[in-house]
Amino acid sequence: METFDELQTIWNKQANIVGKASAEELMKKGEAYIKKVHAGHWGTIAIISILVIVLIGYFVWMKAYQMNGLMIGLTLMIVVMIVRVILEWVSANRFRSIRPDISLADFSAKMHWYYAWRKKVHTLFIPVIYILYVIGFTLLLPALKANLSHGMYLYCVISGYGFLTLFALFLLRILRKEMKLLEFLKGLT
């Protein structure tokens, strides 16, 4: 019984912390979350737009105007990245349309609508975009092999497919996080 008494004494010494957040604190947290989501959308748009510019620059520099694997691969990569920018822009606009000053039920319903859209983007569009991008990259490889040294070609293959693999894992992590949030929002409505 001494062990129980010792545990009871330790338990009683704990500070009694009750999580009572004020409405103002909740609003600040909500605004911080909204800013974070906005920054994520615009950051993604910026990064992919830079990639599109680099791919177009490479397209022009390689003079890939003739119908061959290089032209098809680069065109495919550019087009799917432009589609990805458009999807992210649509998502940003949908999120921007959600006002945080509405009732909790309306806010939850709109957030559910938004994350249902994001689920569709992540489960339908992004896998297709990703597969098409990998196909485009693969179509580039013969042109790279013909124009680069063997070592540089191997570097491009290993780093390219390595990056694409890590990026796929990163996308899966994001999808899981958004699906958990969607399930939470379903519980609120």
Side-chain angles (χ1 to χ4, degrees), residues 79-115:
V79 168
V80 297
M81 287 298 102
I82 289 171
V83 169
R84 179 71 173 96
V85 167
I86 291 168
L87 287 172
E88 202 63 33
W89 183 78
V90 168
S91 291
N93 284 334
R94 285 181 178 219
F95 187 77
R96 191 175 354 153
S97 72
I98 302 171
R99 293 187 353 259
D101 59 348
I102 57 178
S103 72
L104 179 60
D106 290 340
F107 181 77
S108 297
K110 288 184 184 267
M111 288 298 286
H112 181 270
W113 166 75
Y114 167 75
Y115 278 106

Side-chain angles (χ1 to χ4, degrees), residues 7 10-12 19 22 27 45 56 79 86 88 98 100 107 110 128 136 142 148 153 164 175 187:
L7 287 173
I10 293 170
W11 181 264
N12 291 337
S22 69
M27 288 298 288
I45 289 170
I56 291 171
V79 168
I86 291 168
E88 202 63 33
I98 302 171
F107 181 77
K110 288 184 184 267
V128 171
L148 298 175
Y153 171 74
L164 291 169
L175 178 61

Side-chain angles (χ1 to χ4, degrees), residues 6 11 19 47 61 70 84 94 98 114 117 154 173 185:
E6 290 171 10
W11 181 264
I47 290 168
W61 180 68
L70 177 67
R84 179 71 173 96
R94 285 181 178 219
I98 302 171
Y114 167 75
W117 160 254
L154 284 177
R173 190 175 135 233
L185 291 169

Side-chain angles (χ1 to χ4, degrees), residues 51 55 69 72-81 125-142 144 156-157 159-169 171:
L51 175 62
L55 289 173
I72 295 169
L74 277 173
T75 302
L76 188 59
M77 292 169 73
I78 291 167
V79 168
V80 297
M81 287 298 102
F125 297 117
I126 289 182
V128 171
I129 288 170
Y130 189 77
I131 289 168
L132 291 173
Y133 190 85
V134 170
I135 290 169
F137 178 74
T138 304
L139 289 171
L140 285 178
L141 293 179
L144 293 177
C156 289
V157 170
S159 65
Y161 285 121
F163 171 77
L164 291 169
T165 301
L166 291 175
F167 190 68
L169 296 173
L171 286 174

Side-chain angles (χ1 to χ4, degrees), residues 2-53:
E2 287 179 30
T3 307
F4 176 75
D5 292 334
E6 290 171 10
L7 287 173
Q8 184 69 38
T9 304
I10 293 170
W11 181 264
N12 291 337
K13 288 181 181 178
Q14 293 184 48
N16 192 7
I17 301 172
V18 178
K20 293 184 179 178
S22 69
E24 186 176 313
E25 290 172 341
L26 290 174
M27 288 298 288
K28 284 182 183 177
K29 285 183 180 180
E31 288 171 3
Y33 176 76
I34 288 170
K35 286 180 183 177
K36 181 180 172 186
V37 172
H38 279 299
H41 284 303
W42 295 112
T44 301
I45 289 170
I47 290 168
I48 296 173
S49 296
I50 291 169
L51 175 62
V52 168
I53 291 167

